[in-house]
Amino acid sequence: MIQDNQSLTERQIQHFETFGFLVRRQVFSSEEIERINEEFEKHLVEMKEEYEQKKDRPWPNWSNLIPETPYIANLLEDPRICVPTEQLLGEDTAPVYSNSNSMNKSTGWHPDMIHRHIRGLKNLIYLQPTTGDHGSLRLIPGSHMNPMFDELIRVGLKITDDNKPQFLKDSGMSGEDIPAYIFCSQPGDVITFNQNTWHAAFNCFEDRRLCTFGFYSNPKTAQEEEELHALMKRSREHKKTLTMSSQSRYHHPWWLSNPEGSARRARWIEWLENWGFIEAMNN
């Protein structure tokens, strides 16, 4: 059930539906962010040597659903994450991943999903301040909807092999010139966005820390079921982007054992098993 003290207002829901994202300021306290950073730092230090040997990976990233980071692992079930998500996607929605990233480079414009019927949502927390000239996430408002979504694909906004889309080459513009909302954040802020929304980050810095919590809606039609199966198959390949080989599982047996007996997690695990995500993302 939705808990009223964590529920979004109708205005917030309308903002998300219209623009494809929602910003909530200081959702987590400085003490909570410090605790997240402590687990993040400890795990990163432990794994860095392995990362340095894996030059085929873009940056250090790993699943949070591990016993080494119990506080971060439980954030999926924190009402500040799961309650607003269930309002936006439905109470039968389920998380597919919870990851940490220590990024060291900019990312060009892209959506996380191209499927148009199943809905994906990502909650994101930066662990350091970000600004427009220091690693902020940028989003193009309304780009999760057609005709804008398809038009951005048509003009080739998505980056090419040389890290600059043809459209920008032809126009003389840079990625930063694209009109966008710039998410200047402080630790404790949460941004939630539709995974069809086009987004990017420029002027990034070493060890730009963020935690992400990704959810998919439960399919209601045959077309949605087809798209969810396609996303499951894509997840099988996407797991290879996890930097640390010893963390190649997205859903650690410890998390799947549900030691605290959470009814919500039990429902999520059943959903992940039924749709094949556990097998696809952990083998």
Side-chain angles (χ1 to χ4, degrees), residues 35 41 82 105 119 132 134 138 189 193 212 273-274:
R35 189 171 180 183
E41 174 69 23
C82 65
K105 61 182 69 176
R119 300 183 72 194
H134 194 62
R138 299 168 184 243
D189 296 344
F193 62 92
T212 62
E273 288 178 336
N274 289 342

Side-chain angles (χ1 to χ4, degrees), residues 49 65 81 84 92 109 120 164 192 210 223 242 251-252 258:
E49 182 177 349
L65 306 181
I81 297 295
D92 56 355
W109 288 104
K164 190 169 185 180
T192 302
L210 62 152
Q223 191 163 24
L242 281 180
H251 311 102
H252 192 281
N258 193 10

